[in-house]
Amino acid sequence: MNAADKIGAGLDRVLTMELVRVTERAAVAAARLRGRGDEKAADQVAVDAMRTELNRLAIKGTVVIGEGERDEAPMLYIGEEVGTGKGPEVDIALDPLEGTTICAKNLPNALAVVALAEKGSLLNAPDVYMDKIAIGPGYAADVIDIDAPPAENIARLAKAKGVPVGEVTACILDRPRHARLIEAVRGTGAAIRLIGDGDVAGVIHTTDPEETGIDIYMGIGGAPEGVLAAAALRCTGGQMQGRLILDTPEKVERAARMGVSDPNKVYRADEMARGDVLFAATGVTDGNMLSGVKFGRNFITTHTIVLRSSSRTVREIKARHQDLDKF
Ligand code: VTB
């Protein structure tokens, strides 16, 4: 086995496939509650299912991006240890149901997501907002700059892609805080795909514009979702910059306790997710890259993307589950 076949202290590539089961189970559980208008219930079943599967993995894992601080999240809280305890020490970032509202409304792109990395290599982001910008692979390092005006980023991207600005599509969360950003992007002639939730998917979609129709992700979403998206980009290629929004002394202090010494730092994807990273996401609802869970008469199908930074392999796994007692 060569060095590329190992992650850190012996976390071997078998775990890539093991991780698929983790997001599959969470996705199936959440999908049973699609369109029921109950975000909390869908989230809860996804959390339970993901936790059960994670605890079967031969790892000594610590949740660093999870459901919340210990006092507010009974399961998969930040600091919770998961896995059998026998195996490599790893950091885990997870979101058993990314897009709880999307799932409750049965709209596109709800995902079950998990990332696994060498211990100490994921940014311990507090649950605050993060300003983000991301593009897919194949561009020079200076194409995007989080501090440049949005119109400039769009123009530079169009030039680098070799298309008119009118052929660029930006993905932005539909929030009042983005009114000026939306106006600036529309002012360039570029198109915007406004999404209700789900910016982990929004960022990942930039990595395959032919399939998803999205070239760039811009705007402010959750910081934990930023770290998850960065983990995916580490594996697929692509660029991301993120800055925590620490706009109160309390948030600055909370971030400092988690190891953030410079509140204004711009993090690249490889600073949010360092070292070797594995990433898996299973579609809960139908989306631009992944199909949602389908319930057949005698089987359930799932669609998962599983990524590995050391080899940059992008695998899509369509699974037909026939042992329905397991779900
Ligand atoms: C985004 C979105 C997530 O949180 O990160 C968002 O992509 C940010 O928070 O799916 P606001 O809803 O407060 O804007 C989520 O909606 C998850 O909660």
Side-chain angles (χ1 to χ4, degrees):
M1 196 181 273
N2 65 35
D5 288 335
K6 290 195 143 200
I7 288 192
L11 178 52
D12 70 46
R13 63 187 189 177
V14 174
L15 269 174
T16 316
M17 305 312 272
E18 297 283 315
L19 215 51
V20 173
R21 217 168 273 123
V22 172
T23 53
E24 282 178 350
R25 290 293 160 85
V28 171
R32 290 193 191 284
L33 294 179
R34 274 185 313 222
R36 281 4 183 240
D38 191 341
E39 283 93 342
K40 280 213 173 103
D43 195 42
Q44 189 57 54
V45 293
V47 169
D48 287 346
M50 182 171 277
R51 186 165 181 258
T52 302
E53 279 309 315
L54 273 174
N55 280 329
R56 293 193 171 124
L57 294 189
I59 53 169
K60 193 169 168 15
T62 307
V63 175
V64 299
I65 299 285
E67 286 294 285
E69 313 270 331
R70 189 180 195 142
D71 51 358
E72 67 194 30
M75 280 187 218
L76 298 181
Y77 54 83
I78 297 166
E80 183 172 348
E81 297 200 349
V82 290
T84 61
K86 294 191 184 83
E89 287 190 76
V90 293
D91 277 358
I92 295 173
L94 52 84
D95 199 344
L97 181 54
E98 155 61 346
T100 51
T101 308
I102 302 177
C103 179
K105 293 182 176 173
N106 207 351
L107 290 170
N109 293 313
L111 303 175
V113 189
V114 71
L116 201 144
E118 292 173 87
K119 190 177 169 55
S121 63
L122 292 177
L123 176 66
N124 291 10
D127 193 5
V128 296
Y129 284 120
M130 178 186 272
D131 194 8
K132 313 172 193 177
I133 185 166
I135 55 173
Y139 294 107
D142 58 354
V143 173
I144 50 166
D145 176 356
I146 199 165
D147 289 320
E152 206 173 304
N153 281 312
I154 297 283
R156 284 197 215 147
L157 176 61
K159 188 160 178 254
K161 194 179 177 188
V163 297
V165 170
E167 285 179 25
V168 168
T169 300
C171 178
I172 299 176
L173 274 169
D174 192 3
R175 297 287 187 276
R177 63 177 176 265
H178 290 149
R180 285 178 60 195
L181 172 64
I182 290 167
E183 199 186 322
V185 172
R186 290 213 172 114
T188 66
I192 298 177
R193 182 166 312 162
L194 281 175
I195 55 170
D197 286 285
D199 72 348
V200 176
V203 170
I204 296 173
H205 287 160
T206 66
T207 66
D208 194 357
E210 284 77 19
E211 180 77 19
T212 64
I214 289 169
D215 299 292
I216 182 166
Y217 176 85
M218 303 168 100
I220 295 170
E225 287 87 349
V227 176
L228 278 161
L233 286 205
R234 276 290 321 290
C235 302
T236 53
Q239 297 174 42
M240 180 172 173
Q241 295 168 12
R243 182 187 273 129
L244 297 171
I245 301 190
L246 302 171
D247 50 5
T248 64
E250 186 270 325
K251 287 180 195 166
V252 173
E253 206 176 288
R254 188 143 50 98
R257 278 202 303 272
M258 294 175 87
V260 176
S261 52
D262 175 2
N264 294 311
K265 182 174 166 56
V266 174
Y267 294 91
R268 293 187 317 262
D270 62 358
E271 292 170 310
M272 289 189 258
R274 297 180 298 271
D276 288 332
V277 179
L278 306 177
F279 177 95
T282 302
V284 176
T285 56
D286 279 337
N288 299 91
M289 267 180 125
L290 294 170
S291 304
V293 177
K294 305 270 185 303
F295 295 98
R297 266 186 81 191
N298 303 309
F299 57 85
I300 298 170
T301 58
T302 53
H303 190 186
T304 302
I305 189 168
V306 58
L307 313 170
R308 187 163 180 246
S309 68
S310 64
S311 61
R312 290 248 188 128
T313 314
V314 176
R315 289 186 172 86
E316 278 187 49
I317 300 187
K318 287 192 174 167
R320 178 185 282 227
H321 307 278
Q322 307 198 90
D323 184 359
L324 301 186
D325 292 346
K326 279 191 184 157
F327 289 88

